[in-house]
Structures are given as C-alpha cells and as structure tokens.
Amino acid sequence: MKQNRVDAVLQNLEQMGLSQMLITDPLAIFYLTGRMIQPLERFYGLYLNRRGGHKIFINLLETVPEDLGVEKVRFSDTDPVLDLVAAAVDSREPLGVDKNLPARFLLPLIERGAAGGFVNASLAIDRARAVKDEQERALMRRASQLNDMALEQLRPWITAGVSELELAERLTKLYRELGADGTSFDPLVAFGANAASGHHWPDDTRLQPGDVVLIDAGCIYKGYCSDMTRTYVYQRATDRQRQVYEVVRRANEAAEQAVRPGVPLRELDQIARDIITEAGFGPQFTHRLGHFIGLEDHEFGDVSASAADAAAPGNVFSIEPGVYLAGELGVRIEDLVLVTETGCEILNALPKELEIIG
C-alpha cells in the first residue's frame, strides 16, 4: 500500500464526515496499492476504514504479491463475494462508494442493508490524485520527455503526400520504440482545414504544401500519461497562419507564466481567453484552457471559466489554447505544467516558435 496516498484519502473522507469507503475503480486501487488488476466483469474492491481493518477483495484468478500491505479476501467465481463485502462493512455507518461502482454490485449491497446509507465519495480519491507525490512527478516528467522525443523523431516523416493516418501510426510505433507503455489516447493528426476540428480523427487526407499540421498526442510511462499539442506549417506559411499561430502562442505562454500556488484556475483560462478575444478570435476558442492529468489523460479537475479550485503544489494540468477557423485552419499549442511551491515547471521542452517543416 502507498501509505501517504491512503492517508490522503482517509483525511478527505474525514472532511466529508465519512469513516469508510469501498473503492472499485481499478486505476484508483492501483494508485493506492501499486498493483494493477483488470477484473473484467468480476468484483474487485478495496475497503478503507479510518479506524483500520482495510481489506482488498480479489478473485482467485488474479496473482498478487504477498506483501501487498493490506488484508486480502480471496474468493472464487462461485463464492458469495457481496456477502463477504457486507460482512466487512460497518453496517451502522454510511459507506462512501466511488462513481465506478457498477449497479450490479451496488444494488445488492443496498438490498442487504450493508451500510447505514451510501454516499458518492469519489472526491476523496479524486482530490488525492490531483496532488502528485514525488514518485508521480518523476514518472510524469519522464512520460512528457518521451512525448517530446517521439514528436521530434516524427518530423522527418512529415513529407508531401503522407496521410494523417500514416503519421499517427508512425507516432504510435515511436512511443513503443522509445520505451513507453503505449499511447494515453489515439494520436490526433490533422492537416489543413481538418485542423479546424478540435478533435479531428486522422484519416486518409494527404499533406500538401501550405497545410497546417496539428498533432495532439501522448504516451503512457509506468501508468502515467503525457499529452502535448504542436502545430506546424508545411513548406510555406501565409500571413493568416502566422497571425493565428502567434496569438495562440502568446495565450499559451501568458497563461503558463501566471501558474503558481493559489492562483484561481479560472483566472488562467481568462488570461489566455482575453488575449485570443482581443485579437478577434474569441468565438473560435471553443474549449476550456486545460484539464488535469495523471493515471488518466483527463482526470478530475479542469482549467476553465467554471473551475472553482485554485492551483496547488503537485497539480499537473494542460495549458492548451486554440483557435479554429472552419474550412480554413486550426492552431493549438499544449504543454503540461506541474505546479511547484513557487510557480510551475513546464514538462514539455519542444520549441513553440512557428516551425515551417520541409
């Protein structure tokens, strides 16, 4: 068990007025135990109690180390696993559950009267995961470094006639060759007018001189995700492309320079949005400035006009302003930033000046 992370979850539970929680999200359990299991349709859960007596429920099909650091309750496919769970839960107290608990398990626990009420306690996990410890920070630095390396090594493949799909497939292979575990999401590659769609999925569109080339991609390293976007122009750039690019770059850099502990996340969004609006492209910045990231590419927490939280040391989130001109072009520039005690560390090192490739 990762005791510092367990302690953070238990502290969050206390603040919510809860003494116990049943966690069933495999990624959340991995976060707390360091052991990844994909249970498929079978039950898999970690029970935490502020008074002690933590238990993890694992099917006999799964192999787990002896020194997992928590009492293991093993069961077969024919055992009444929910009876075992109900017996572990304090029936006099409300039970926190996470948002991933399937109804096929939750409803029988309710019918059994396993707890004195059921409460969505996902925030106890989400808020703990939003603050990365030193081990997580190191892994996220490495994931972003691999992302930088892969995109740099992709550049020679950006040539006339290559398709979006071919570039995306090559990038996926580069991640593996560099030692990543895989992609944190399917790479987004968009040429020309396709880049005006914020999430264009790569297709057979082939690169032509004068096209913008938008690449949004990330890899996974030891469970942790990276995410970065760079926009290039192939062979020749128009004044319009240069104008839009510089506006987005200024918005990206101004927001990053403002990141520090205590700054409201909505203010970061506003800083970038004001620059783009003043340049006349406000309606074409169609999404939030950023999202939190870690074991998942999009985790709890965002950088938007509706964000209620302030930046805190250990937060990792994206700064990714964009401008999308339908039928013409799109530009997005994205870095990941790690909030430090005094400011922020930008996890991506690739240049952000406009590159004319080819």
Side-chain angles (χ1 to χ4, degrees), residues 176-193:
R176 291 287 189 182
E177 292 170 6
L178 289 167
D181 302 330
T183 59
S184 45
F185 56 95
D186 291 337
L188 303 176
V189 178
F191 299 156

Side-chain angles (χ1 to χ4, degrees), residues 31 69 128 158 271 318:
Y31 169 75
I158 304 175
I271 288 169
S318 65

Side-chain angles (χ1 to χ4, degrees), residues 166-298:
E166 288 167 347
L167 271 190
E169 290 173 346
R170 181 57 193 161
L171 184 55
T172 299
K173 291 178 182 177
L174 282 171
Y175 287 136
R176 291 287 189 182
E177 292 170 6
L178 289 167
D181 302 330
T183 59
S184 45
F185 56 95
D186 291 337
L188 303 176
V189 178
F191 299 156
N194 288 346
S197 172
H199 277 174
H200 170 75
W201 294 104
D203 57 27
D204 292 328
T205 299
R206 297 195 174 274
L207 184 61
Q208 300 179 30
D211 280 347
V212 297
V213 179
L214 189 155
I215 302 173
D216 184 348
C219 64
I220 300 173
Y221 179 71
K222 295 187 178 179
Y224 283 81
C225 297
S226 59
D227 189 357
M228 175 178 62
T229 306
R230 288 294 185 268
T231 305
Y232 309 104
V233 178
Y234 183 59
Q235 288 193 345
R236 58 177 182 266
T238 65
D239 290 343
R240 176 76 154 175
Q241 289 168 338
R242 292 179 186 275
Q243 176 197 15
V244 173
Y245 188 92
E246 286 307 308
V247 169
V248 174
R249 184 180 65 83
R250 286 195 294 113
N252 168 275
E253 293 179 348
E256 289 178 353
Q257 289 170 7
V259 176
R260 63 185 184 280
V263 66
L265 296 172
R266 62 179 177 272
E267 287 189 11
L268 301 177
D269 181 276
Q270 192 64 54
I271 288 169
R273 203 165 300 277
D274 284 348
I275 290 172
I276 291 174
T277 299
E278 288 168 7
F281 299 113
Q284 286 76 45
F285 181 12
T286 54
H287 53 76
R288 63 190 176 183
L289 180 63
H291 58 84
F292 279 52
I293 184 171
L295 290 170
E296 296 173 278
D297 181 52
H298 285 211

Side-chain angles (χ1 to χ4, degrees), residues 270-342:
Q270 192 64 54
I271 288 169
R273 203 165 300 277
D274 284 348
I275 290 172
I276 291 174
T277 299
E278 288 168 7
F281 299 113
Q284 286 76 45
F285 181 12
T286 54
H287 53 76
R288 63 190 176 183
L289 180 63
H291 58 84
F292 279 52
I293 184 171
L295 290 170
E296 296 173 278
D297 181 52
H298 285 211
E299 293 195 334
F300 170 81
D302 72 349
V303 185
S304 72
S306 62
D309 293 329
N315 289 166
V316 180
F317 49 79
S318 65
I319 298 290
E320 50 179 306
V323 169
Y324 311 94
L325 306 180
E328 187 178 354
L329 62 92
V331 173
R332 182 165 65 251
I333 302 173
E334 174 187 14
D335 298 311
L336 296 186
V337 298
L338 164 64
V339 183
T340 65
E341 296 296 331
T342 57

Side-chain angles (χ1 to χ4, degrees), residues 35-39 42 58-64 74:
R35 180 69 181 180
M36 187 63 192
I37 291 176
Q38 291 291 357
R42 295 176 173 86
I58 307 175
N59 192 283
L60 288 168
L61 282 171
E62 305 294 344
T63 301
V64 292
R74 306 303 299 270

